[in-house]
mmCIF file of all heavy atoms in Angstrom:
data_model
loop_
_atom_site.group_PDB
_atom_site.id
_atom_site.type_symbol
_atom_site.label_atom_id
_atom_site.label_comp_id
_atom_site.label_asym_id
_atom_site.label_seq_id
_atom_site.Cartn_x
_atom_site.Cartn_y
_atom_site.Cartn_z
ATOM 1 N N PRO A 309 108.986 66.669 85.993
ATOM 2 C CA PRO A 309 110.360 67.096 85.772
ATOM 3 C C PRO A 309 110.892 66.559 84.464
ATOM 4 O O PRO A 309 111.704 67.299 83.805
ATOM 5 C CB PRO A 309 111.134 66.420 86.924
ATOM 6 C CG PRO A 309 110.035 66.123 87.971
ATOM 7 C CD PRO A 309 108.815 65.883 87.210
ATOM 8 N N LYS A 310 110.537 65.368 84.029
ATOM 9 C CA LYS A 310 110.894 64.762 82.735
ATOM 10 C C LYS A 310 109.639 64.141 82.172
ATOM 11 O O LYS A 310 108.870 63.467 82.898
ATOM 12 C CB LYS A 310 112.041 63.827 82.860
ATOM 13 C CG LYS A 310 113.302 64.459 83.275
ATOM 14 C CD LYS A 310 114.491 63.479 83.221
ATOM 15 C CE LYS A 310 115.837 64.045 83.581
ATOM 16 N NZ LYS A 310 116.968 63.075 83.562
ATOM 17 N N SER A 311 109.471 64.225 80.890
ATOM 18 C CA SER A 311 108.325 63.559 80.229
ATOM 19 C C SER A 311 108.752 63.031 78.859
ATOM 20 O O SER A 311 109.884 63.210 78.415
ATOM 21 C CB SER A 311 107.158 64.505 80.066
ATOM 22 O OG SER A 311 107.511 65.625 79.301
ATOM 23 N N MET A 312 107.877 62.173 78.273
ATOM 24 C CA MET A 312 108.236 61.525 77.025
ATOM 25 C C MET A 312 107.099 61.435 76.059
ATOM 26 O O MET A 312 105.886 61.603 76.461
ATOM 27 C CB MET A 312 108.749 60.070 77.320
ATOM 28 C CG MET A 312 107.684 59.202 78.004
ATOM 29 S SD MET A 312 108.339 57.501 78.266
ATOM 30 C CE MET A 312 108.357 56.885 76.637
ATOM 31 N N ARG A 313 107.316 61.186 74.783
ATOM 32 C CA ARG A 313 106.234 60.911 73.788
ATOM 33 C C ARG A 313 106.420 59.438 73.423
ATOM 34 O O ARG A 313 107.541 58.845 73.567
ATOM 35 C CB ARG A 313 106.392 61.844 72.644
ATOM 36 C CG ARG A 313 106.138 63.305 72.929
ATOM 37 C CD ARG A 313 106.217 64.140 71.752
ATOM 38 N NE ARG A 313 107.625 64.208 71.214
ATOM 39 C CZ ARG A 313 108.006 64.898 70.145
ATOM 40 N NH1 ARG A 313 107.035 65.487 69.451
ATOM 41 N NH2 ARG A 313 109.219 64.891 69.772
ATOM 42 N N TRP A 314 105.402 58.934 72.861
ATOM 43 C CA TRP A 314 105.491 57.415 72.554
ATOM 44 C C TRP A 314 104.525 57.037 71.360
ATOM 45 O O TRP A 314 103.580 57.851 71.093
ATOM 46 C CB TRP A 314 105.140 56.577 73.790
ATOM 47 C CG TRP A 314 103.810 56.834 74.214
ATOM 48 C CD1 TRP A 314 102.608 56.008 73.890
ATOM 49 C CD2 TRP A 314 103.321 57.796 75.161
ATOM 50 N NE1 TRP A 314 101.548 56.558 74.600
ATOM 51 C CE2 TRP A 314 101.959 57.636 75.302
ATOM 52 C CE3 TRP A 314 103.945 58.785 75.804
ATOM 53 C CZ2 TRP A 314 101.202 58.464 76.155
ATOM 54 C CZ3 TRP A 314 103.237 59.604 76.639
ATOM 55 C CH2 TRP A 314 101.881 59.439 76.815
ATOM 56 N N GLY A 315 104.710 55.953 70.719
ATOM 57 C CA GLY A 315 103.847 55.462 69.693
ATOM 58 C C GLY A 315 103.879 56.275 68.395
ATOM 59 O O GLY A 315 104.606 57.207 68.338
ATOM 60 N N PRO A 316 103.102 55.875 67.436
ATOM 61 C CA PRO A 316 103.047 56.564 66.122
ATOM 62 C C PRO A 316 102.671 58.039 66.290
ATOM 63 O O PRO A 316 103.235 58.892 65.507
ATOM 64 C CB PRO A 316 101.928 55.857 65.334
ATOM 65 C CG PRO A 316 101.884 54.502 66.030
ATOM 66 C CD PRO A 316 102.162 54.711 67.486
ATOM 67 N N ALA A 317 101.839 58.473 67.292
ATOM 68 C CA ALA A 317 101.464 59.823 67.422
ATOM 69 C C ALA A 317 102.604 60.753 67.838
ATOM 70 O O ALA A 317 102.508 61.948 67.669
ATOM 71 C CB ALA A 317 100.284 59.935 68.417
ATOM 72 N N SER A 318 103.682 60.117 68.403
ATOM 73 C CA SER A 318 104.804 60.986 68.934
ATOM 74 C C SER A 318 105.512 61.686 67.794
ATOM 75 O O SER A 318 106.188 62.658 68.064
ATOM 76 C CB SER A 318 105.785 60.051 69.627
ATOM 77 O OG SER A 318 106.343 59.147 68.728
ATOM 78 N N ALA A 319 105.322 61.343 66.504
ATOM 79 C CA ALA A 319 105.961 61.957 65.479
ATOM 80 C C ALA A 319 105.214 63.315 65.056
ATOM 81 O O ALA A 319 105.797 64.117 64.403
ATOM 82 C CB ALA A 319 105.986 61.078 64.236
ATOM 83 N N LYS A 320 104.046 63.428 65.584
ATOM 84 C CA LYS A 320 103.287 64.622 65.155
ATOM 85 C C LYS A 320 103.577 65.764 66.182
ATOM 86 O O LYS A 320 103.653 65.569 67.370
ATOM 87 C CB LYS A 320 101.724 64.319 65.228
ATOM 88 C CG LYS A 320 101.385 63.258 64.261
ATOM 89 C CD LYS A 320 99.883 62.922 64.393
ATOM 90 C CE LYS A 320 99.429 61.767 63.550
ATOM 91 N NZ LYS A 320 98.095 61.357 63.722
#
Side-chain angles (χ1 to χ4, degrees):
K310 293 183 178 180
S311 57
M312 61 179 289
R313 295 181 292 178
W314 63 94
S318 64
K320 300 176 183 177

